[in-house]
Amino acid sequence: MDLHIFTDLFEALTIFCFGLSWPISIHKSLVSKTAQGKSLFFELFLLLGYALGITRKIVQVTLLGSTGFIFYLSFFFYILNFVEITIDVALYFRNVRLDKARNSSIHA
């Protein structure tokens, strides 16, 4: 087999494994309704990392012509993870607002 297939497969599986945690994090953010224990800084760096991975894939396919199912599968996982983290970041801001509302009603 071609070495590129193996490297694309390992990359796709890595991103898939990372992506498994985001639905859990989103669920926790929805249910807990608090931003406590969350790090916006951490999530923004993850977003940047996935954006760079997506950019790499675009450059790779346009300049080097890399194609194939596994290549596109890893590209899909980059985009899916980016969307999931974006949802979690949006929930962070919602939860910060809910935390402030709770704190202001306690101190009122």
Side-chain angles (χ1 to χ4, degrees):
M1 278 192 129
D2 186 13
L3 184 59
H4 291 290
I5 292 173
F6 282 114
T7 58
D8 286 343
L9 178 62
F10 291 143
E11 180 183 24
L13 290 173
T14 300
I15 299 164
F16 174 75
C17 290
F18 289 154
L20 289 176
S21 63
W22 291 112
I24 296 166
S25 182
I26 290 168
H27 180 264
K28 181 182 176 192
S29 294
L30 280 169
V31 173
S32 71
K33 297 181 181 177
T34 183
Q36 293 179 357
K38 288 286 203 176
S39 171
L40 179 62
F41 190 68
F42 176 75
E43 288 192 351
L44 291 177
F45 267 105
L46 287 171
L47 272 176
L48 176 62
Y50 283 116
L52 293 171
I54 291 167
T55 303
R56 175 190 173 271
K57 288 294 187 184
I58 292 169
V59 168
Q60 188 176 359
V61 76
T62 56
L63 296 180
L64 302 176
S66 297
T67 58
F69 174 74
I70 295 174
F71 173 85
Y72 289 109
L73 185 64
S74 62
F75 188 55
F76 168 76
F77 288 144
Y78 273 117
I79 292 171
L80 179 62
N81 289 349
F82 187 89
V83 169
E84 290 173 326
I85 296 170
T86 301
I87 291 168
D88 207 36
V89 167
L91 288 171
Y92 172 86
F93 286 111
R94 179 203 73 161
N95 290 345
V96 164
R97 195 174 61 249
L98 292 173
D99 287 341
K100 286 180 182 177
R102 267 192 303 275
N103 287 338
S104 67
S105 68
I106 291 172
H107 294 109

